[in-house]
Amino acid sequence: MPGLGTSFGRGGATTAQQDLSNADAILIMGSSMAENHPVGFQWVVEAREKGAKVIHVDPRYTRTSAMADVWVPLRAGSDIIFLGALVNYVLENHREFHDYVVNYTNASTILRKDFRDTEDLDGLFSGWDAEKEKYNPESWLYQGSPSKETNEKAGHSEAGGGHGKDRGGEAEDAGKFESDPTLEHPRCVFQVLKRHFSRYTPEMVERYCGVPREVFLKTADIFSAASGPDKTAAICYAVGWTQHSKGVQIIRTAAILQLLLGNIGRPGGGILALRGHASIQGSTDIPTLYDILPGYLPMPFFEADSHKLKGYLKKHSERTGLWSSFDKYFISLMKAYYGEGATKENDWGFNWLPRVTGDHSHFGYWLDMADGKLQGLFVMGQNPAVGASNGRLERKALSKLKWLVVRDMVETETASFWYASPEVDRGELSPDTIGTEIFLFPAAGTAEKEGTFTNTQRLLQYREKAVDPPGDARSELWFMYHLGRRLKAKAASDPRPRNAGLNALTWDYSTEGKHAEPSAPEVLQEINGYSLPDCKQLKHIKDLKKDGSTACGAWIYCGVFPEAGYNRANERNPKDLLGHGWGFAWPNDCRIIYNRASARPDGKPWSERKKLVWWDEEKKQWTGLDHPDYEKEVSPDTPADVENGKGVKALGGARPFTLHPDGVGWLYVPSGLKDGPLPTHYEALESLIENPLYAQQTNPAANRKKRPDNPYAAPHDARFPYILTTYRLTEHHTAGGMTRHLSHLSELQPELFTEVSPELAEEIGLEHGGWATISTPRALIEARVMVTTRMRPMRIDGRTVHQVGLPYHWGYRGQVTGDVVNDLLVISEEPNVRIMETKALVCNVVPGRRARGEAALQQMNSHTGVNA
């Protein structure tokens, strides 16, 4: 979530779904919210019924489009051109909320003289190292800021991910930079922003996005009008933005737009990141990611981080803002991990943490697997054999393992690859020669276990167990606890230093029932945190200490279980529109974060209609309709001292973005991103179009992972003349591992299909209800043909461009089966979070079905760029 994290401070949605009903305009882009988030979409409908204008931007006409006031079809992969033109429209027409921008963003900050923009270097920022294929971001810093000591110190190591807090190293001089409150200095962020987006025009949108000029201008007028003291607008997005080779920068463009319009931290505003299922937000908060620890604390890296705790803390701390307490968050985490074993003398167990030594993301270790460098794999809650890019490579890589553990409710494609995969059918793999030993463990379903979900709006909701799981099925908590218990027992008899951390690990949860199920409430209490040695629950993040007297499993969740017997995630008594009294939203049950920005610098609401929190002069504290996301007793007239002060109070009383060391929202990101401080349009890694803005065709920092078994289309490759985009359906979930095994959902969507326009169907001879074969350089698949006006030809740079749509829910197991759409995709990594590009690539489409058996292998080799 670094698109939001670097812009505002936290990698999570800034608002609550219910608050959409307060919006005057809503832009939905990179999502079909009505289909994929239908429960939350009710508040979009409510907003529209109250007079809000709803805009949907999408290559396909969907149910969301049908409910919108304006549908804007665009070429897949051209999002930054469109959003950049909205930014330019706001600036050219003086639609920005000036008082908000001056006081609550870094618009006035002056940049260094040696900074060069993409406008100066034809698509590159200063600092690009062509040999290393990465940026040195030194020149991106503010004028007057101290230099970074090394490139790695800025978070640009080879192994580095982008999920964590990644803006430390300036702890002594966080406030030393120059600014111009008039916004007139030629190197201030505001002026640089204007120059940067000046070529993102309505004419550019029409020519390269395929959006008619008048449609764009109507959209821009509607959205930018919802700004100022009395109006706000919201943006909703999903993986239609994230799954691009420049996905983080697409989100960054939206963040810039909302900061300019003054729509962050205010009712009816914000950016809502629509997460894919019930606890995707939770899986980054308490991460299943290789590069962060709970609460977005960075994992230590082998080369970039010191092996002394002091160096690690110095690197990642700030002198001002909430990250000034980084040491409290980290040391409390170590005490939760290692208990009495974590002492000041051993740096609180810091050197027991593993170091990141390379690309340990999904694709990084999967390519290692394909090369025979990985021996074993646990797969839990995932189905990579059909759910990940270049499925042919991924399934063949599984055959290189010595062992594979799959935990699921059914036998998924991942568990059955060795005998049922397309590679077995084509003769590429044989059950007789695959050496992988596979262990299939039955898993409990949602209703068969208790615990918390953290949903799309940072809301922790506790669920109780309805029934016991059947037979040998067990919860994830049971499996991980008992696996850990057995590993600890094994390590206890092995005194080697490598086992010291495992032996110190606290693992003393209560169990109950005939299967010894661990206590989920106890785990949540540990996550909340407690004091030592009395083990009393902590009530607030401010209770955390750096002296080892507190333990906390995730500092951002502190307050969810503030006392024994009081689980706020289990509250079910909503008191207001924002849902206070139902669950617990981190941090501190704030439903709209950065909400100090909902009041003027003097602490009074911008308007009565848009009031949220304000300064109560009589009580001398912040109050309002939400819990203040601010120091409650810091008055609005408290002067800031970011140059010499320490902690949150150094930000003074009028800097709402308290995780940034300067306390403001970042229109320009001086540190923390690997592909530039400002969003820039690059074409998709596979594209039919030349970059209309720069000589640099694609994101230079993206990692293509190009190799013989992961080929790309060549520029202007005549074999693949169409644009392909993938998407979800309401009736199926992700790769379909659960839903294709359910009869009622299988009946609703029984067969893989491809959506094509009537014009394309006529051009190449496709028949509605017939078959088509779709190919890319990686694979070819077959699908039923749906000829529909929901897909429209685009007029791009004077020529007609056709787009093809494919849902990706099918595989070779379940009550309904179909070819694997993700086989068509290429393995690639966006530079900040290493996500793949699924929403814009190239393909070919021909009438008819694909071959079977060994003939299918011959057909594949002749139509793609891969040879078996």
Side-chain angles (χ1 to χ4, degrees):
M1 303 290 284
L4 298 177
T6 54
S7 298
F8 311 128
R10 300 182 179 100
T14 72
T15 188
Q17 294 174 91
Q18 300 95 314
D19 184 56
L20 292 172
S21 62
N22 287 321
D24 298 290
I26 300 173
L27 171 64
I28 302 172
M29 190 173 172
S31 164
S32 179
M33 190 178 179
E35 296 178 326
N36 301 141
H37 298 85
V39 175
F41 192 72
Q42 65 180 296
W43 287 291
V44 176
V45 174
E46 184 175 326
R48 188 180 175 193
E49 290 174 346
K50 292 162 63 175
K53 297 294 183 182
V54 178
I55 302 159
H56 186 220
V57 182
D58 198 293
R60 300 168 51 243
Y61 186 87
T62 69
R63 293 180 179 92
T64 307
S65 315
M67 298 297 292
D69 296 277
V70 181
W71 171 52
V72 184
L74 88 166
R75 175 175 65 93
S78 64
D79 305 70
I80 289 180
I81 294 179
F82 183 87
L83 291 166
L86 288 179
V87 171
N88 187 36
Y89 179 91
V90 169
L91 294 170
E92 285 292 309
N93 293 278
H94 307 291
R95 291 287 185 97
E96 71 273 6
F97 188 178
H98 182 268
D99 290 348
Y100 184 106
V101 169
V102 170
N103 290 287
Y104 296 158
T105 79
N106 65 351
S108 65
T109 306
I110 297 172
L111 305 183
R112 285 173 40 152
K113 293 180 180 179
D114 57 346
F115 169 70
R116 293 295 179 269
D117 190 13
T118 50
E119 299 302 296
D120 307 312
L121 302 178
D122 212 2
L124 296 171
F125 294 98
S126 50
W128 177 249
D129 187 322
E131 182 178 343
K132 295 181 179 179
E133 295 186 328
K134 63 179 182 179
Y135 280 107
N136 180 338
E138 175 76 20
S139 62
W140 305 353
L141 299 176
Y142 298 154
Q143 180 70 30
S145 291
S147 297
K148 300 284 186 180
E149 291 177 13
T150 68
N151 191 26
E152 269 63 41
K153 190 148 188 172
H156 287 232
S157 67
E158 286 290 341
H163 294 96
K165 180 264 174 205
D166 197 14
R167 293 176 300 283
E170 298 178 44
E172 300 304 318
D173 296 288
K176 292 185 178 179
F177 53 85
E178 300 174 15
S179 63
D180 173 21
T182 70
L183 307 185
E184 296 295 332
H185 192 287
R187 294 200 320 276
C188 78
V189 166
F190 189 75
Q191 294 299 328
V192 171
L193 197 70
K194 290 175 73 172
R195 291 194 297 274
H196 180 81
F197 285 109
S198 63
R199 292 194 295 139
Y200 293 70
T201 61
E203 292 73 25
M204 182 71 71
V205 169
E206 181 167 54
R207 186 171 178 179
Y208 292 101
C209 298
V211 178
R213 184 176 186 274
E214 61 275 11
V215 174
F216 170 78
L217 290 173
K218 178 181 179 181
T219 302
D221 179 64
I222 290 172
F223 194 78
S224 63
S227 174
D230 211 41
K231 290 186 177 181
T232 50
I235 293 178
C236 304
Y237 76 90
V239 296
W241 272 1
T242 57
Q243 291 180 357
H244 286 271
S245 55
K246 65 275 189 179
V248 166
Q249 295 290 6
I250 296 175
I251 298 159
R252 275 278 300 132
T253 321
I256 290 170
L257 181 64
Q258 289 293 71
L259 285 171
L260 288 173
L261 295 174
N263 284 332
I264 299 298
R266 303 180 61 208
I271 298 179
L272 191 62
L274 298 165
R275 311 310 296 267
H277 58 72
S279 203
I280 285 290
Q281 182 67 51
S283 72
T284 54
D285 296 344
I286 298 180
T288 54
L289 300 164
Y290 79 99
D291 57 343
I292 54 173
L293 296 164
Y296 303 91
L297 307 178
M299 277 288 293
F301 284 73
F302 180 71
E303 293 180 353
D305 284 296
S306 168
H307 283 270
K308 295 292 185 180
L309 177 63
K310 182 178 179 181
Y312 171 82
L313 294 179
K314 181 179 179 181
K315 174 182 174 181
H316 296 293
S317 296
E318 302 284 2
R319 181 171 44 76
T320 56
L322 282 170
W323 285 121
S324 64
S325 296
F326 183 88
D327 51 357
K328 300 176 183 177
Y329 312 148
F330 182 80
I331 292 170
S332 294
L333 176 65
M334 293 298 96
K335 291 297 290 185
Y337 280 170
Y338 302 120
E340 293 180 359
T343 66
K344 185 176 182 180
E345 289 69 31
N346 67 5
D347 277 350
W348 310 107
F350 175 62
N351 284 318
W352 290 334
L353 288 177
R355 270 30 178 192
V356 177
T357 58
D359 179 4
H360 307 312
S361 70
H362 176 94
F363 295 125
Y365 70 72
W366 219 277
L367 292 175
D368 283 347
M369 187 194 309
D371 294 335
K373 299 177 182 178
L374 203 67
Q375 293 191 14
L377 180 70
F378 287 88
V379 175
M380 300 180 282
Q382 192 177 4
N383 191 12
V386 296
S389 298
N390 197 342
R392 185 188 190 190
L393 183 155
E394 301 230 359
R395 292 186 295 271
K396 292 174 79 170
L398 289 170
S399 71
K400 305 288 185 66
L401 294 170
K402 290 185 177 180
W403 55 266
L404 170 66
V405 173
V406 178
R407 295 193 71 256
D408 219 306
M409 294 183 288
V410 295
E411 185 189 42
T412 63
E413 286 83 357
T414 302
S416 61
F417 85 93
W418 62 278
Y419 73 90
S421 66
E423 289 68 38
V424 172
D425 178 65
R426 293 191 294 258
E428 297 177 79
L429 294 177
S430 169
D432 296 332
T433 57
I434 293 173
T436 309
E437 187 173 9
I438 299 168
F439 303 89
L440 177 60
F441 288 81
T446 298
E448 298 163 354
K449 56 193 174 187
E450 67 174 316
T452 58
F453 288 132
T454 306
N455 78 353
T456 200
Q457 61 198 58
R458 301 167 286 99
L459 184 68
L460 282 78
Q461 297 175 94
Y462 201 84
R463 68 184 190 284
E464 297 173 342
K465 183 173 71 171
V467 294
D468 289 325
D472 291 331
R474 299 288 184 271
S475 70
E476 289 77 18
L477 181 58
W478 181 95
F479 184 86
M480 296 309 299
Y481 169 73
H482 287 286
L483 177 63
R485 182 177 57 80
R486 293 186 181 196
L487 290 173
K488 281 180 64 65
K490 185 177 179 65
S493 59
D494 185 344
R496 286 180 294 175
R498 62 180 289 180
N499 291 322
L502 183 55
N503 283 321
L505 190 69
T506 59
W507 211 250
D508 50 356
Y509 307 103
S510 301
T511 59
E512 58 188 10
K514 62 180 180 179
H515 298 307
E517 178 74 16
S519 168
E522 282 187 24
V523 176
L524 186 59
Q525 288 180 71
E526 182 182 49
I527 291 170
N528 173 91
Y530 48 87
S531 58
L532 293 169
D534 56 9
C535 293
K536 289 185 178 180
Q537 293 298 110
L538 303 177
K539 299 181 183 300
H540 197 279
I541 292 170
K542 291 190 292 186
D543 295 336
L544 297 173
K545 309 294 183 186
K546 64 179 180 181
D547 60 2
S549 63
T550 57
C552 178
W555 71 279
I556 59 175
Y557 282 11
C558 190
V560 66
F561 217 126
E563 58 187 68
Y566 182 25
N567 180 356
R568 297 182 68 183
N570 205 27
E571 289 186 328
R572 294 296 181 268
N573 184 30
K575 302 177 177 65
D576 52 36
L577 173 68
L578 294 179
H580 295 102
W582 181 288
F584 175 86
W586 70 266
N588 305 321
D589 205 28
C590 294
R591 304 302 166 115
I592 299 176
I593 48 180
Y594 321 113
N595 56 31
R596 167 64 181 90
S598 69
R600 302 181 327 205
D602 65 6
K604 298 177 181 178
W606 290 107
S607 69
E608 181 66 21
R609 182 173 183 262
K610 293 293 179 179
K611 68 180 182 181
L612 182 61
V613 301
W614 55 88
W615 178 254
D616 187 319
E617 187 60 41
E618 183 177 335
K619 295 181 179 179
K620 300 297 182 184
Q621 64 182 27
W622 292 95
T623 188
L625 309 177
D626 194 5
H627 296 291
D629 186 17
Y630 212 63
E631 287 285 337
K632 198 169 184 178
E633 282 80 35
V634 175
S635 66
D637 57 0
T638 301
D641 185 14
V642 295
E643 187 166 343
N644 299 302
K646 293 183 179 181
V648 177
K649 291 184 178 179
L651 300 177
R655 298 197 177 209
F657 299 88
T658 53
L659 279 91
H660 282 165
D662 51 8
V664 295
W666 284 0
L667 297 164
Y668 171 99
V669 172
S671 176
L673 294 177
K674 293 178 171 60
D675 52 354
L678 290 171
T680 298
H681 169 72
Y682 299 113
E683 287 296 318
L685 298 179
E686 291 183 335
S687 177
L688 304 178
I689 309 300
E690 294 285 344
N691 190 334
L693 286 157
Y694 312 106
Q696 179 62 40
Q697 172 75 356
T698 59
N699 188 340
N703 191 337
R704 291 174 173 264
K705 300 291 185 183
K706 190 174 182 179
R707 42 190 274 166
D709 52 1
N710 189 51
Y712 282 76
H716 312 295
D717 197 325
R719 297 175 301 163
F720 307 107
Y722 311 119
I723 296 174
L724 172 63
T725 189
T726 64
Y727 52 89
R728 278 181 56 186
L729 304 172
T730 306
E731 296 82 2
H732 283 300
H733 181 62
T734 61
M738 293 188 292
T739 53
R740 281 186 282 105
H741 288 263
L742 299 176
S743 58
H744 56 292
L745 294 176
S746 295
E747 184 177 1
L748 288 171
Q749 288 287 4
E751 205 163 16
L752 172 63
F753 60 89
T754 180
E755 289 189 273
V756 298
S757 68
E759 293 84 354
L760 178 58
E762 182 178 0
E763 183 177 308
I764 62 177
L766 298 176
E767 294 184 4
H768 184 70
W771 291 92
T773 295
I774 303 99
S775 62
T776 71
R778 277 73 56 189
L780 58 82
I781 66 167
E782 66 179 17
R784 289 282 189 180
V785 175
M786 177 179 284
V787 180
T788 173
T789 55
R790 294 200 295 257
M791 298 295 290
R792 296 185 180 180
M794 311 296 291
R795 196 69 181 165
I796 305 296
D797 196 22
R799 62 189 176 107
T800 299
V801 172
H802 293 287
Q803 304 194 106
V804 177
L806 277 170
Y808 60 90
H809 304 297
W810 279 268
Y812 45 89
R813 304 295 292 166
Q815 296 192 24
V816 292
T817 60
D819 280 357
V820 182
V821 169
N822 286 325
D823 287 5
L824 300 172
L825 306 181
V826 70
I827 290 175
S828 64
E829 292 182 345
E830 186 276 342
N832 297 288
V833 297
R834 301 188 184 275
I835 202 166
M836 63 284 183
E837 189 155 60
T838 72
K839 302 304 176 185
L841 58 152
V842 297
C843 72
N844 190 29
V845 184
V846 296
R849 306 191 70 172
R850 63 168 175 82
R852 297 302 193 265
E854 291 186 7
L857 181 59
Q858 297 172 5
Q859 183 187 28
M860 178 172 290
N861 289 338
S862 66
H863 282 74
T864 69
V866 183
N867 289 314

